[in-house]
Amino acid sequence: MNDFDHGTPDDTGIRLQKVMAAAGVASRRASEELIAAGRVRVNGQVVREPGRRIDPAVDKLAVDNVAIQLDQSKRYVMLNKPVGIVSSLADENGRPDLREFTEQFEERLFNVGRLDAETSGLLILTNDGDLAHVLAHPSFGVMKTYIAKVRGAMTPQTVQRLTTGLELEDGPIAADKARLLETSNGFSLIEITLHSGRNRIVRRMLKEVGHPVVDLVRRSFGPLHLGNLRVGATRELTSAELGQILTLSRSKDAAAPAGSPDSSSEAGE
């Protein structure tokens, strides 16, 4: 039996080391060494034969268990969305929307999930529909971290309530993590991490514990971090970031529920 059962027959496709070199993994020679060392997987199975042929349009490649994108037409962009921008490519009410940023690129990009107009921070723009569906849909529970400026001096007991759990009008909810960063001049800064995709959930949780949100920023989405990207700026994901986000997407896609709604149905924060 061959090293994998779902690859391309040996007489068709492209040699694996050539595909790896074209994807920027390593030179052909170095790719052959990675293959021989058992560090390369095709469709989840280790491949040790450098002559193996694969179809880049169908087969999934990973090196050291990190996913590699073989389709060079795909683009992945991080945006630090400003306040006042609607997470839409054509807002029906004529408000400022994401076209200001997507029109900078030749490809037709769309947003992965949403942030409401009053929330700033990390938003992914891409033309990879499969990745967008998996990462945005609430059922997959991708972790997101926010920094919220709230009214009032929040106590440690209140922070604990956020992680212990609250009862909202649409059911119970608990943050995966929460920590108080600062309290001064009648305001508090809190970092909150959760995997829920429910509508405006961070704002509703903080209002429920008596600390309405004044300012809300999404700092991370899955393995991606906003870093020092200025408000209103975009940048393409690094190869390391792309590997992380593709690996996350593929791992969650393996457990995808059949007939899931489209990612555009995800509520905004």
Side-chain angles (χ1 to χ4, degrees), residues 146-165:
Y146 300 82
I147 303 293
K149 179 181 180 180
V150 301
R151 296 189 184 280
M154 186 175 287
T155 66
Q157 291 77 17
T158 301
V159 176
Q160 186 173 359
R161 282 188 63 197
L162 293 169
T163 55
T164 300

Side-chain angles (χ1 to χ4, degrees), residues 72-147:
Q72 300 303 304
S73 70
K74 295 294 188 286
R75 188 182 289 269
Y76 306 85
V77 174
M78 181 186 297
L79 164 68
N80 187 346
K81 187 190 84 67
V83 170
I85 300 293
V86 179
S87 292
S88 169
L89 296 177
D91 182 61
E92 58 185 17
N93 297 315
R95 295 171 295 180
D97 57 38
L98 294 172
R99 283 176 293 181
E100 173 184 344
F101 308 100
T102 59
E103 288 175 354
Q104 301 173 19
F105 302 92
E106 293 182 4
E107 297 84 356
R108 182 178 178 276
L109 304 184
F110 47 87
N111 47 301
V112 177
R114 301 175 182 176
L115 290 174
D116 68 33
E118 294 77 33
T119 300
S120 63
L122 198 161
L123 196 62
I124 302 170
L125 305 174
T126 186
N127 58 349
D128 187 337
D130 292 337
L131 176 136
H133 170 73
V134 173
L135 295 184
H137 197 273
S139 65
F140 296 105
V142 176
M143 289 290 187
K144 310 168 191 75
T145 297
Y146 300 82
I147 303 293

Side-chain angles (χ1 to χ4, degrees), residues 1-268:
M1 180 179 292
N2 291 327
D3 280 312
F4 65 102
D5 299 323
H6 308 290
T8 301
D10 287 343
D11 58 347
T12 63
I14 305 172
R15 288 184 180 274
L16 182 53
Q17 62 268 39
K18 183 176 180 180
V19 172
M20 291 172 63
V25 175
S27 67
R28 290 195 194 184
R29 177 61 180 169
S31 294
E32 290 175 358
E33 294 174 355
L34 290 171
I35 296 167
R39 297 168 60 183
V40 178
R41 291 177 181 266
V42 175
N43 301 327
Q45 301 299 315
V46 174
V47 175
R48 295 182 182 273
E49 304 165 13
R52 171 71 66 185
R53 292 178 180 270
I54 70 170
D55 181 351
V58 176
D59 296 320
K60 293 182 177 180
L61 175 68
V63 178
D64 292 333
N65 295 317
V66 175
I68 305 297
Q69 177 58 273
L70 300 180
D71 186 347
Q72 300 303 304
S73 70
K74 295 294 188 286
R75 188 182 289 269
Y76 306 85
V77 174
M78 181 186 297
L79 164 68
N80 187 346
K81 187 190 84 67
V83 170
I85 300 293
V86 179
S87 292
S88 169
L89 296 177
D91 182 61
E92 58 185 17
N93 297 315
R95 295 171 295 180
D97 57 38
L98 294 172
R99 283 176 293 181
E100 173 184 344
F101 308 100
T102 59
E103 288 175 354
Q104 301 173 19
F105 302 92
E106 293 182 4
E107 297 84 356
R108 182 178 178 276
L109 304 184
F110 47 87
N111 47 301
V112 177
R114 301 175 182 176
L115 290 174
D116 68 33
E118 294 77 33
T119 300
S120 63
L122 198 161
L123 196 62
I124 302 170
L125 305 174
T126 186
N127 58 349
D128 187 337
D130 292 337
L131 176 136
H133 170 73
V134 173
L135 295 184
H137 197 273
S139 65
F140 296 105
V142 176
M143 289 290 187
K144 310 168 191 75
T145 297
Y146 300 82
I147 303 293
K149 179 181 180 180
V150 301
R151 296 189 184 280
M154 186 175 287
T155 66
Q157 291 77 17
T158 301
V159 176
Q160 186 173 359
R161 282 188 63 197
L162 293 169
T163 55
T164 300
L166 308 169
E167 188 68 38
L168 300 180
E169 66 273 13
D170 55 353
I173 185 69
D176 294 274
K177 298 177 184 177
R179 65 187 181 110
L180 186 61
L181 302 177
E182 180 183 323
T183 299
S184 64
N185 300 321
F187 296 96
S188 300
L189 278 182
I190 183 169
E191 180 183 83
I192 184 167
T193 299
L194 70 171
H195 62 271
S196 171
R198 285 154 61 178
N199 187 35
R200 298 173 69 88
I201 191 63
V202 174
R203 294 178 183 273
R204 291 193 289 132
M205 290 175 71
L206 291 168
K207 183 179 180 180
E208 178 67 21
V209 298
H211 295 278
V213 170
V214 176
D215 186 48
L216 186 62
V217 182
R218 183 158 73 186
R219 295 294 306 175
S220 71
F221 183 93
L224 303 180
H225 298 274
L226 198 58
N228 59 2
L229 185 66
R230 64 178 177 80
V231 175
T234 61
R235 68 168 178 82
E236 296 200 42
L237 298 189
T238 66
S239 57
E241 289 172 330
L242 178 55
Q244 291 175 324
I245 206 75
L246 287 172
T247 301
L248 174 66
S249 172
R250 289 183 189 177
S251 68
K252 291 187 176 296
D253 188 39
S260 301
D262 184 81
S263 63
S264 62
S265 66
E266 187 210 27

